[in-house]
Amino acid sequence: MIDDDERMEILRRQGRRLAWLMAGAAIGLAVVLLVVVVAVIAVGLGAEPGSEAGSGTVGALRGAGPVGVIAGASVLLAALLGLVPGVRELEVTGARGMLGADGELLVPRRPRAGHHARTALWVVLHLGSGLLCATLLATLVPSAGLFLVELAAGRSLGSGLPMPEGAVGRLGAAALALLIGAASALAWWPLGAALSRLAPHLLGPTATDRLEAAEQRVAREAERTRIARELHDGIGHALTVVSVQAAAARTVQHRDPEATAAALAAIEETVRDATGELDAVLALLREEEGGRRTPRHPAAPDGRATDAPAAPGDEPAAEDELELLLAGHRRAGMDLRRRGELPADLAPLQHRHLARGLGELLTNAQRHAAPGPVTLALGADDGRVHLEVTSPLDDAFAEPADDPARPAAGPGGHGLVGLRERAALLGGTLEAGPRGEHWIARLDLPLLREEER
C-alpha cells in the first residue's frame, strides 16, 4: 500500500523527468531552427533571382532538400554539442537530479574517445526524446481533443479529420481519439523511465575506467600494507627497547638507582617517539580517507599529540638520525660496536633509508640474538652503500634452513620482509641468515650523493 508521502515522491520524480525532457526539447528546437536557418540562407544565396527557390522563405525551404537532410544535419549538430567541454558534467547532473538515474555516473578528469562518443549519443537521445514528447503534446493531444469535440458537436470544426457515420462509428472513433490522446499525453512517463535506466550505460564508467579504478584500489591497498609494515618496524622496535629497559630497571632498582632512572628515562623517550610515529601514520591514513592533506603533529613530552604544527627544528637532521639510533640501542643495554663511516656527501634521503633499515636490523638483534657484542659495519664502494649487522646466533636458530633469509629460519621477523621489499624498490638488496655462530644481515643500496638528488 502506497502512502501519501510515497505517492507525492513518485509525482515529483515524474515531474522532474518531464522537465528534463522539456529542457531537451527546447535545446533540440533551437538546434533544428539553426539548421533550418542555415539551410534557407545557403539555398537563397545559391538560387537564381526569380526562381522558385529564391522567392521567399517557403521557396527556400522547398529548395533546402528533403526533411531527412534537415534531420540528419540536426542530429550531427546535436552530437557535436555533446563534445563541448562541460556538457557531460551538465548531463550527469541532470540525469542524477532530474531524470533520477540510480546507476553509477562518471565525469572523467581526462575524457577519452569512448567518453566523447557516449556523451554525444546521450545528447542526441536527450534532445530527440524531448522533441518527440513536445511534438506529441503539442500536436496529437490537441488534435485528439478537437476531434472529440467535433464528434460531440456532430460537425467539423477544422481538424481536417473525416466524420464517421453512425453511432457505432462515432463511438469507435471517440475511443480511438481518447486512446491516442492519453498515450501522447503520457508518453514521457515510460520514455523517462527508459532513459533513466539507459543513463548509467552511456554516462557511466567504461571498462577502462573500471580497470583504472581497480588498479587504484590495489595501489591503495599496497600503500596501506606498506604503512602497516612501517608501523610494525617502528612500534616493534620501540616495544623491544621498552621491554629490555624495563627488565634492566627491575634488576638494578635497589642497588643502582641512577641506572634505574636512566632506564626509565630511556623508556619514556622511546614511548614518546613511538607515539609520535603512530600519530604520523594515523594522520596519513586520515589524509587518504578524507582525500585531503593535513599537517603532521608532533608528540608532546607526555606522549600525546598536540595541535601545533611541527616546527622545522623539531625533527633531527638526516645525518643525526643514525647516531641517535645507535645511542638509543646502547642505552637499552646493547653492546654495539661500530666500524666504518658513511660518505660525507650522502644524500639526506638515503641517510633516512639507511637509518630505518638499521633500526629494523638492530631491533631483530635486540629481540633474538644471544648475549654478546653486536657489530655494525658501514661502508661504500663501486657506487653502492652498505651496512652489515653481525650478532651472536642464539642456539634456537643454530640450524640453518633451506632458505636462510626466510623469517622462520632465524631471528628475522615480518619486519625483514618489508625491509627486503623496500630495498628492492630502491634498487638494493637485503641478505640475512646464519653463518657459523653469528647471524649476519647486510643491506646494500645504490649510492645517492647529495648533488645527485
Side-chain angles (χ1 to χ4, degrees):
M1 186 70 179
I2 300 178
D3 57 20
D4 293 339
D5 292 339
E6 293 179 354
R7 188 179 296 109
M8 289 301 300
E9 178 58 30
I10 292 174
L11 292 177
R12 282 194 293 265
R13 181 170 63 249
Q14 299 305 324
R16 289 192 295 267
R17 287 179 177 175
L18 178 59
W20 183 83
L21 288 169
M22 291 301 100
I27 300 174
L29 181 60
V31 169
V32 173
L33 289 178
L34 179 61
V35 171
V36 170
V37 169
V38 172
V40 169
I41 294 175
V43 171
L45 292 176
E48 296 181 0
S51 65
E52 182 181 1
S55 58
T57 303
V58 176
L61 285 174
R62 290 175 179 174
V67 177
V69 175
I70 302 296
S74 300
V75 170
L76 179 60
L77 183 57
L80 293 176
L81 182 62
L83 302 180
V84 175
V87 170
R88 183 182 178 101
E89 185 175 0
L90 291 175
E91 289 291 352
V92 167
T93 303
R96 284 176 179 157
M98 301 182 69
L99 197 57
D102 295 330
E104 182 181 3
L105 306 181
L106 176 68
V107 179
R109 278 186 275 183
R110 295 181 180 179
R112 292 183 293 273
H115 296 122
H116 291 308
R118 294 185 178 199
T119 304
L121 179 57
W122 177 257
V123 171
V124 171
L125 289 176
H126 183 189
L127 273 56
S129 58
L131 282 174
L132 176 61
C133 289
T135 301
L136 293 176
L137 290 174
T139 57
L140 292 184
V141 173
S143 298
L146 179 59
F147 186 61
L148 288 175
V149 173
E150 289 179 344
L151 291 175
R155 60 188 181 89
S156 176
L157 297 177
S159 68
L161 297 175
M163 294 290 294
E165 297 180 357
V168 176
R170 292 184 179 183
L171 184 61
L176 182 61
L178 282 174
L179 180 61
I180 293 176
S184 301
L186 298 177
W188 55 270
W189 191 301
L191 188 58
L195 288 173
S196 69
R197 292 182 175 86
L198 183 62
H201 298 282
L202 295 181
L203 297 180
T206 62
T208 304
D209 294 327
R210 297 185 187 279
L211 179 60
E212 290 180 353
E215 291 175 348
Q216 291 174 0
R217 285 194 296 269
V218 171
R220 285 195 299 268
E221 291 299 325
E223 177 66 12
R224 288 177 176 271
T225 302
R226 184 193 65 80
I227 292 174
R229 286 174 176 163
E230 293 279 354
L231 187 60
H232 165 270
D233 294 349
I235 301 302
H237 164 69
L239 291 176
T240 299
V241 174
V242 167
S243 63
V244 171
Q245 292 285 2
R250 185 181 60 185
T251 302
V252 301
Q253 60 179 335
H254 297 298
R255 52 188 171 86
D256 195 347
E258 293 183 359
T260 302
L264 293 177
I267 291 175
E268 180 184 4
E269 181 180 356
T270 303
V271 171
R272 181 168 61 247
D273 293 342
T275 304
E277 184 172 354
L278 178 61
D279 180 68
V281 172
L282 294 178
L284 180 60
L285 293 175
R286 284 194 294 268
E287 289 175 15
E288 293 182 354
E289 291 292 337
R292 57 185 175 85
R293 302 199 64 83
T294 56
R296 180 178 293 187
H297 293 176
D302 59 356
R304 294 175 295 179
T306 65
D307 294 331
D314 289 344
E315 296 183 358
E319 57 271 15
D320 295 335
E321 289 188 15
L322 202 62
E323 297 299 331
L324 294 174
L325 181 65
L326 299 181
H329 279 277
R330 289 192 179 105
R331 287 196 304 269
M334 177 180 285
D335 183 6
L336 182 57
R337 304 174 185 182
R338 170 177 173 172
R339 296 199 314 264
E341 297 289 341
L342 293 175
D345 57 349
L346 192 66
L349 177 62
Q350 192 153 48
H351 265 290
R352 292 191 172 91
H353 285 313
L354 290 173
R356 179 153 313 260
L358 179 59
E360 175 60 32
L361 297 180
L362 292 179
T363 296
N364 281 328
Q366 191 96 42
R367 289 176 179 171
H368 306 293
V374 176
T375 303
L376 167 64
L378 302 171
D381 52 50
D382 298 330
R384 312 285 292 185
V385 60
H386 52 80
L387 62 85
E388 185 176 282
V389 175
T390 304
S391 57
L393 185 63
D394 192 275
D395 293 338
F397 307 112
E399 293 296 330
D402 295 335
D403 181 9
R406 187 178 57 187
H414 297 291
L416 286 185
V417 177
L419 181 56
R420 184 176 290 109
E421 292 179 356
R422 290 197 302 274
L425 289 175
L426 297 171
T429 59
L430 172 67
E431 297 177 358
R435 292 185 195 172
E437 297 179 353
H438 295 87
W439 176 273
I440 299 178
R442 179 185 176 91
L443 177 62
D444 184 274
L445 297 173
L447 178 59
L448 180 62
R449 300 186 184 276
E450 189 165 4
E451 63 271 12
E452 297 174 354
R453 288 182 301 164

